[in-house]
């Protein structure tokens, strides 16, 4: 029977690999919780600044969520960042995330960045851009949970 290694187990076999150039296969997982209350004046292309993350952070979309109850008739968001060192990408983590039904909706359901995680090259703000909205519920609470890894 053969033993097959992932990139993580291969790298962790040698402690030197974990610290070389600051590129560790392990990092500190953190989850930022930010909330926003809808006011029913939001419109297409409005940007909600969610959280500012330090340089070197890597957002993990499939562990990141939007949690809300009854935001209105329709609400679709892109989730991205303002990291301009490569290119600002308003849908780096979620593209056309339909949150109109409410509940806990993972950024990862849209499949963006799943195979190619992006590491912030500078301190950057994670942002939600309103792509579609209709008859929003004033006072509805929108909670963002942004999971990210730092190599500190």
């Amino acid at each position: 029977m053969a033993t097959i290694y992932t990139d993580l187990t291969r790298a962790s076999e040698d402690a030197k690999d974990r610290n070389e150039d600051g590129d560790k296969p392990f990092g500190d997982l953190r989850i930022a919780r930010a909330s926003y209350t809808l006011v029913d004046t939001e419109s297409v292309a409005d940007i909600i600044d969610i959280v500012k993350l330090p340089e070197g952070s890597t957002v993990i979309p499939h562990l990141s969520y939007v949690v809300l109850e009854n935001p209105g008739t329709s609400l679709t968001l892109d989730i991205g960042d303002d990291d301009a060192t490569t290119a600002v990408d308003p849908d780096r983590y979620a593209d056309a995330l339909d949150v109109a039904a409410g509940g806990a909706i993972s950024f990862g359901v849209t499949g963006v960045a799943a195979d190619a995680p992006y590491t912030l090259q500078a301190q950057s703000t994670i942002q939600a851009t309103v792509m579609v909205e209709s008859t929003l519920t004033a006072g509805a609470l929108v909670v963002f949970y942004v999971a990210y890894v730092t190599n500190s």
Side-chain angles (χ1 to χ4, degrees), residues 49-87:
D49 283 349
I50 300 170
V51 62
K52 196 168 280 201
L53 297 181
E55 174 184 346
S57 298
T58 303
V59 173
I60 305 172
H62 63 279
L63 294 179
S64 300
Y65 288 82
V66 179
V67 179
L68 67 169
E69 182 178 339
N70 189 19
T73 304
S74 65
L75 181 58
T76 302
L77 304 171
D78 281 353
I79 311 289
D81 60 56
D82 67 353
D83 186 350
T85 56
T86 53

Side-chain angles (χ1 to χ4, degrees), residues 36-124:
Y36 172 74
T37 303
L38 294 174
V39 293
D40 191 26
T41 58
E42 295 83 2
S43 60
V44 171
D46 281 356
I47 295 173
I48 302 167
D49 283 349
I50 300 170
V51 62
K52 196 168 280 201
L53 297 181
E55 174 184 346
S57 298
T58 303
V59 173
I60 305 172
H62 63 279
L63 294 179
S64 300
Y65 288 82
V66 179
V67 179
L68 67 169
E69 182 178 339
N70 189 19
T73 304
S74 65
L75 181 58
T76 302
L77 304 171
D78 281 353
I79 311 289
D81 60 56
D82 67 353
D83 186 350
T85 56
T86 53
V88 171
D89 192 341
D91 62 0
R92 192 184 311 275
Y93 312 111
D95 183 24
L97 188 63
D98 183 356
V99 298
I105 300 103
S106 170
F107 293 7
V109 300
T110 64
V112 176
D115 294 328
Y118 179 76
T119 300
L120 296 173
Q121 303 302 304
Q123 178 177 301
S124 303

Side-chain angles (χ1 to χ4, degrees), residues 13-27:
E13 286 179 355
D14 183 342
K16 179 182 170 214
D17 290 343
R18 287 194 303 257
N19 297 312
E20 198 168 283
D21 298 323
D23 183 23
K24 301 188 293 186
F26 306 102

